[in-house]
């Protein structure tokens, strides 16, 4: 009964929030949003590929690939220090995390 | 018993490893708070897996360190760049940034740091004095009272956390719905869609990481085009805090310090009211109470920084009161800390003071030690912290996403939990875009199981619903729940009326 009540209330409120004129949500700008902020869905896609890769390629390799891809996606102006920092991070961070989790927290990563 | 608990807690907190943990927590919290777009809540959820290898006191000490450091860390970017490091440092900018632009950044930072420390200490003192009284009172609570209290907390959060009551209630109901996934208290399976991974329900931490870390990171990706911060290579300003001047400022603002700390502590006790509300109220009170130069508020008045920073740090002490006495987290950070306690087999709420006196006292002491660490870390590392605010988001976002993945995996050694993080990251991002507050959703998720279990216990002990209204404390909470909904509806009605009034006058 309680579950039904919760579900019913949630459904009513959800519908009401979209139907109410003063609270109407417009998705008209979705195209523009995706054109301007295409990096957001691209990052979600990359994250999904990364999670899928974790089980196949292991934590260290898939994290390196994800980090390099992520930096390539987000860095807009490359300079020598930024390039060095991103390459160093992409290499060192996965190894460091792997070491900390396996040796300090006793958790074996994929 | 409390005195013995305090001595034992002092021994635990004073252990070198715990002190080091608090120091690391404060450092991490300050950095998370200092970088605009990254919140200490994010740091808290990411630090959660690291508490697995710690005892409850040490794990909680790490979380408290991050929490206290994070509340204070936002002032650095706010004062130096005019960009709030955290939402709670928005008001600090009003006077901190003009003072920095007028050539006194070190004085502004010094006032901010001193105010943060004093606010935290006053909040901790109130927690120490009031906590045990409420703790003793809650021993009278049965399942009826706890159910009604949780219901009241959910309605309060839904009403307080956003402009739209309806959206707050939707979020709370969604949280409750998510909490029902898995095995019901009566033993049957619910909403698992024949997926064995869902049989045990969704762990709160991957959901929290998704909603609060990944969604915020996606917002950062979206806003990366608008990143107006100067690049990291420009060098940090040389900053030396003028201690004497700061002490004079603080002495001059002593009434403001006390008033703002009390406002912060009180607001902190209200679930999801947040440090931002405390800041605005304290700032407004301080400006109205200023007799000599109120016109300088907003132009670099020390009182503005004092009001904002004391109140947003005093919130910490207040927020712990409902968490440890009633088992109701005052904010999202408290919800994460509650999760850490539950992971160690400790249930916050009525009876905690009697069952875990050492742990409760270690919370007070950890807050005090963390406040002192804030003073040391922010004073000594100010030039470094000023540089940290300039680290490019493009470098940070992918690194933190890797941390979210590894942190959620470490909970149960399941890749499924990382998928939960991704899914709730997307859901959180969409909800943020639709202006649906995330706080009520988390509270619904965390408190859903308690709500259901206590209702079932109450009905097992007495099979009539009338007991909920015949027991005075339970009835009080139910009336408050109805009252909070009524008040929110009234507020919404008044806001609509005010908004439509000018339109009507234009039409006439």
């Amino acid at each position: 009964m309680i579950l039904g009540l919760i579900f019913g209330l949630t459904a009513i409120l959800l519908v009401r929030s979209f139907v109410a004129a003063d609270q109407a949500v417009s998705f008209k700008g979705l195209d523009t949003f995706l054109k301007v902020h295409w990096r957001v869905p691209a990052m979600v896609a990359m994250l999904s590929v990364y999670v899928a890769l974790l089980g196949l390629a292991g934590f260290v390799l898939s994290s390196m690939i994800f980090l390099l891809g992520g930096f390539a996606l987000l860095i807009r102006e490359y300079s020598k220090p930024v390039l060095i920092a991103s390459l160093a991070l992409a290499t060192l961070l996965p190894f460091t995390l792997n070491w900390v989790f396996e040796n300090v927290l006793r958790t074996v990563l994929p | 018993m409390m005195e013995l608990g305090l001595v034992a807690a002092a021994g635990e907190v004073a252990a070198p490893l715990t002190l080091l943990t608090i120091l690391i927590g404060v450092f991490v919290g300050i950095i998370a708070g200092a970088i605009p777009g990254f919140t200490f809540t994010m740091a808290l959820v990411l630090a959660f897996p690291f508490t697995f290898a710690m005892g409850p006191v040490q794990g909680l000490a790490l979380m408290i360190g991050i929490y206290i450091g994070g509340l204070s860390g936002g002032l650095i970017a706010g004062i130096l760049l005019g960009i709030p490091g955290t939402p709670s440092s928005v008001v600090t900018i009003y006077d901190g940034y003009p003072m920095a632009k007028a050539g006194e950044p070190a004085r502004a930072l010094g006032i901010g740091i001193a105010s943060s420390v004093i606010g935290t200490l006053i909040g901790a003192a109130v927690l120490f004095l009031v906590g045990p009284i409420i703790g003793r009172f809650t021993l009278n609570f049965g399942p009826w009272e706890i159910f009604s209290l949780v219901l009241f907390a959910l309605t309060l959060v839904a009403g307080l956390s956003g402009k739209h009551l309806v959206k707050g209630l939707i979020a709370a109901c969604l949280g409750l719905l998510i909490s029902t996934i898995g095995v019901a208290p009566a033993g049957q399976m619910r909403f698992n869609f024949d997926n064995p991974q869902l049989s045990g329900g969704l762990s709160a931490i991957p959901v929290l990481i998704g909603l609060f870390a990944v969604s915020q990171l996606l917002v950062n990706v979206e806003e990366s085009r608008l990143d107006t911060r100067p690049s990291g290579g420009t060098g940090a300003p040389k900053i030396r805090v003028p201690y004497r001047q700061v002490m004079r400022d603080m002495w001059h603002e002593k009434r403001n310090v006390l008033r703002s700390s009390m406002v912060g502590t009180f607001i902190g006790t209200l679930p999801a009211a947040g440090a931002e509300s405390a800041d605005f109220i304290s700032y407004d009170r301080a400006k109205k109470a200023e007799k000599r130069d109120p016109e300088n508020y907003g132009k670099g008045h020390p009182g503005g920084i004092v009001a904002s920073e004391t109140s947003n740090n005093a919130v910490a002490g207040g927020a712990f009161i409902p968490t440890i006495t009633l088992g109701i987290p005052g904010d999202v950070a408290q919800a994460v800390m509650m999760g850490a306690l539950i992971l160690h087999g400790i249930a916050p709420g009525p009876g905690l003071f009697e069952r875990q006196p050492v742990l409760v006292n270690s919370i007070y002491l950890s807050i005090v030690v963390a406040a002192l660490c804030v003073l040391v870390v922010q004073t000594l590392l100010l030039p470094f912290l000023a540089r940290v605010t300039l680290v490019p988001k493009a470098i940070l976002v992918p690194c933190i996403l890797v941390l979210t993945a590894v942190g959620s995996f470490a909970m149960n050694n399941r890749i499924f939990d990382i998928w939960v993080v991704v899914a709730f990251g997307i859901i959180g991002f969409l909800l943020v875009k639709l202006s649906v507050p995330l706080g009520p959703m988390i509270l619904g998720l965390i408190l859903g199981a308690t709500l259901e279990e206590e209702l079932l216990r109450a009905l097992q002990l007495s099979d009539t619903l009338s007991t909920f209204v015949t027991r005075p404390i339970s009835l009080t909470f139910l009336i408050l729940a109805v009252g909070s909904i009524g008040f929110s509806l009234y507020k919404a009605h008044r806001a609509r009326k005010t908004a439509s009034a000018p339109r009507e006058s234009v039409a006439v």
Side-chain angles (χ1 to χ4, degrees):
Chain A
M1 188 190 83
I2 293 166
L3 278 179
L5 191 70
I6 292 172
F7 186 77
L9 278 174
T10 308
I12 290 168
L13 292 174
L14 195 62
V15 170
R16 192 185 169 281
S17 75
F18 293 130
V19 171
D22 59 337
Q23 292 175 19
V25 176
S26 165
F27 285 98
K28 279 179 194 164
L30 193 62
D31 278 0
T32 325
F33 176 87
L34 290 176
K35 267 181 204 156
V36 179
H37 302 292
W38 58 271
R39 282 183 175 84
V40 177
M43 182 49 88
V44 172
M46 275 187 60
L47 190 60
S48 304
V49 171
Y50 169 53
V51 182
L53 258 180
L54 272 174
L56 302 169
F59 173 74
V60 174
L61 187 61
S62 47
S63 297
M64 278 182 185
I65 296 168
F66 173 72
L67 285 171
L68 287 171
F71 295 145
L73 181 72
L74 297 179
I75 295 173
R76 286 155 198 265
E77 286 170 27
Y78 279 96
S79 61
K80 205 175 167 188
V82 170
L83 200 64
I84 292 170
S86 52
L87 282 174
L89 267 173
T91 319
L92 292 177
L93 187 69
F95 279 111
T96 312
L97 283 175
N98 196 48
W99 186 87
V100 169
F101 272 83
E102 295 209 344
N103 296 290
V104 182
L105 301 173
R106 309 268 168 227
T107 303
V108 180
L109 297 177
Chain B
M1 197 166 78
M2 280 304 283
E3 290 75 18
L4 281 176
L6 196 61
V7 173
E12 290 244 19
V13 174
L17 201 59
T18 313
L19 287 176
L20 183 68
T21 306
I22 297 175
L23 190 68
I24 292 171
V26 165
F27 181 68
V28 171
I30 290 173
I31 287 180
I35 302 171
F38 294 88
T39 62
F40 63 88
T41 310
M42 201 188 281
L44 271 173
V45 291
L46 292 176
F48 190 83
F50 293 94
T51 64
F52 299 166
M54 301 174 185
V57 171
Q58 199 191 349
L60 203 61
L62 176 71
M63 297 260 169
I64 289 172
I66 296 173
Y67 184 43
I68 303 293
L71 280 171
S72 178
L75 70 93
I76 300 170
I79 288 172
L80 294 179
L81 305 176
I83 304 166
T86 56
S88 61
S89 57
V90 169
V91 180
T92 310
I93 295 176
Y94 294 174
D95 289 281
Y97 189 52
M99 192 184 271
K101 279 213 302 193
E104 295 185 294
R107 182 185 170 200
L109 286 166
I111 294 170
I113 295 166
S115 304
S116 297
V117 174
I118 296 171
T120 308
L121 293 175
I122 292 177
V126 174
L127 170 67
F128 181 72
L129 295 172
V130 177
I133 299 169
I134 300 175
R136 270 196 296 277
F137 177 67
T138 58
L139 289 175
N140 302 319
F141 286 15
W144 304 272
E145 285 78 16
I146 298 175
F147 172 83
S148 305
L149 173 67
V150 171
L151 207 62
F152 167 52
L154 286 172
T155 56
L156 193 67
V157 168
L160 282 176
S161 56
K163 282 180 189 167
H164 300 295
L165 171 72
V166 172
K167 287 183 179 174
L169 284 172
I170 289 172
C173 288
L174 280 174
L176 285 173
L177 203 60
I178 295 165
S179 77
T180 59
I181 295 172
V183 185
Q188 72 271 35
M189 202 61 79
R190 298 181 301 200
F191 302 130
N192 69 329
F193 304 104
D194 290 330
N195 183 346
Q197 307 271 24
L198 287 172
S199 305
L202 291 177
S203 306
I205 292 302
V207 176
L208 272 171
I209 293 177
L211 286 178
F212 283 95
V214 175
S215 68
Q216 183 59 45
L217 291 168
L218 293 178
V219 171
N220 280 326
V221 173
E222 181 193 348
E223 289 172 353
S224 59
R225 301 171 64 244
L226 310 168
D227 196 352
T228 53
R229 294 175 301 160
S231 71
T234 54
K238 284 200 168 74
I239 301 166
R240 278 184 75 90
V241 176
Y243 295 103
R244 283 191 182 169
Q245 169 85 63
V246 170
M247 280 165 74
R248 271 200 300 275
D249 287 330
M250 295 307 292
W251 178 250
H252 185 71
E253 295 291 337
K254 53 189 178 296
R255 285 205 182 96
N256 186 1
V257 167
L258 259 179
R259 184 181 49 243
S260 303
S261 300
M262 288 304 157
V263 169
T265 311
F266 175 71
I267 300 283
T269 60
L270 303 174
E276 301 92 291
S277 323
D279 282 3
F280 281 106
I281 296 169
S282 301
Y283 187 85
D284 182 57
R285 296 308 317 155
K287 193 175 173 183
K288 283 179 179 153
E290 178 64 47
K291 295 279 182 282
R292 270 179 284 189
D293 51 351
E295 68 282 357
N296 273 342
Y297 267 77
K299 296 174 188 166
H301 196 293
I305 307 171
V306 168
S308 168
E309 284 303 316
T310 43
S311 64
N312 77 29
N313 283 271
V315 161
F320 266 107
I321 294 175
T323 308
I324 59 175
T325 59
L326 305 171
I328 291 175
D331 54 26
V332 179
Q334 296 288 331
V336 181
M337 282 188 252
M338 243 180 94
L341 284 177
I342 292 167
L343 187 90
H344 285 101
I346 296 161
L352 185 72
F353 281 78
E354 273 60 37
R355 290 194 313 269
Q356 300 282 346
V358 177
L359 183 91
V360 171
N361 283 299
S362 70
I363 292 175
Y364 310 142
L365 295 173
S366 297
I367 295 175
V368 172
V369 174
L372 300 174
C373 288
V374 164
L375 183 67
V376 173
V377 172
Q378 283 200 330
T379 310
L380 294 181
L381 301 181
L382 211 44
F384 166 74
L385 294 170
R387 256 181 181 283
V388 164
T389 61
L390 306 175
V391 173
K393 285 182 187 178
I395 299 272
L396 283 173
V397 170
C399 295
I400 297 178
L401 281 171
V402 168
L403 278 171
T404 61
V406 75
S408 49
F409 173 84
M411 276 279 297
N412 301 309
N413 280 14
R414 293 194 304 183
I415 288 186
F416 175 75
D417 284 332
I418 314 180
W419 284 116
V420 173
V421 168
V422 177
F424 277 91
I426 299 167
I427 292 171
F429 179 74
L430 293 175
L431 290 177
V432 168
K433 292 279 115 196
L434 294 170
S435 312
V436 176
L438 299 177
M441 190 166 165
I442 286 301
L443 212 67
L445 173 69
I446 299 262
L447 296 177
T450 312
L451 189 78
E452 191 178 8
E453 280 163 21
E454 296 301 333
L455 177 65
L456 283 177
R457 266 186 62 206
L459 292 175
Q460 278 165 0
L461 292 170
S462 146
D463 60 355
T464 166
L465 287 170
S466 63
T467 321
F468 286 98
V469 288
T470 53
R471 292 176 68 101
I473 301 174
S474 170
L475 177 65
T476 310
F477 285 131
L478 289 177
I479 291 172
L480 287 171
V482 174
S484 78
I485 294 257
F487 180 67
S488 301
L489 286 172
Y490 169 71
K491 258 193 345 187
H493 174 69
R494 267 192 59 177
R496 260 202 304 272
K497 240 174 128 179
T498 318
S500 62
R503 257 184 276 157
E504 280 165 16
S505 62
V506 168
V508 169

